[in-house]
Amino acid sequence: MTRTMLVAVCAAAALLAGCANSNSNSQSSGSIGPALITPPAPLTPPAAQPTGTQPPATIQTATFGQRYTLPSGIAIEVLQPEPFQPSRTASGADGARAVLITVTVVNESAEPFDFNAFTLGPRAIHGGQAAERIFDSAKKVEIPPGVKLLPGKSITFRTAWALQAEPAEMQLEFTPSHGDEPAIFIGTV
């Protein structure tokens, strides 16, 4: 008998012995019945979480006139919106009325901050609809240039928005850099 055959015979004998022992307590006529294989208990999976994501953080908001400081050390201050009369050459001034908002960004971190108004925003919603940004070079309401904002330094700029006729909730959202949580300001305008 070859070694492989011997191993197979031993394995078969062990299997039959196990089956005979499992049936020894039953009232059978001495014949060996089919082997019953009990699958292991199912594993309880951990609580489902989307792969590659963390639980959402609670988003904080501020109101107009307050300063919002992000964990990165970038602080944003938004003054109360004030009525604005666009010039004849302004673009985006198609709303029923317009407001002017002064924004100050302060670098309270220990590292230089690459200020980029295209990334920063703001993006605006008024009364549940996207508000249109007004650009008015005659009144110096433009997108500020990108600069390296050193620690402790600030930049102030103005934004104007075309709004609906009736007062409604306005939301301004700022994102200082990719990966930062947004700074959101909410108030009735």
Side-chain angles (χ1 to χ4, degrees), residues 32-186:
I32 298 175
L36 298 175
I37 300 174
T38 306
L43 297 174
T44 304
Q49 284 194 8
T51 57
T53 61
Q54 297 178 358
T58 303
I59 295 179
Q60 302 292 322
T61 61
T63 59
F64 300 124
Q66 291 183 322
R67 178 181 280 198
Y68 186 110
T69 303
L70 293 161
S72 62
I74 302 304
I76 300 172
E77 186 175 315
V78 177
L79 297 182
Q80 273 298 351
E82 53 189 68
F84 179 67
Q85 182 61 49
S87 71
R88 291 180 312 180
T89 59
S91 66
D94 298 331
R97 60 191 174 106
V99 293
L100 180 71
I101 301 172
T102 302
V103 177
T104 300
V105 177
V106 183
N107 183 357
E108 295 178 349
S109 77
E111 301 293 324
F113 169 64
D114 290 321
F115 171 82
N116 180 336
F118 290 104
T119 303
L120 178 73
R123 285 151 297 286
I125 297 172
H126 184 253
Q129 297 180 4
E132 188 171 356
R133 192 166 184 172
I134 298 171
F135 297 97
D136 193 344
S137 58
K139 293 200 173 183
K140 300 192 186 315
V141 179
E142 303 170 310
I143 293 180
V147 295
K148 190 166 287 292
L149 202 56
L150 298 176
K153 301 297 182 184
S154 65
I155 185 168
T156 300
F157 61 96
R158 303 177 321 150
T159 66
W161 299 89
L163 305 181
Q164 302 165 30
E166 296 299 317
E169 181 180 87
M170 183 173 194
Q171 174 181 314
L172 289 178
E173 180 179 322
F174 297 85
T175 307
S177 60
H178 296 293
D180 249 342
E181 67 178 60
I184 298 175
F185 292 82
I186 297 176

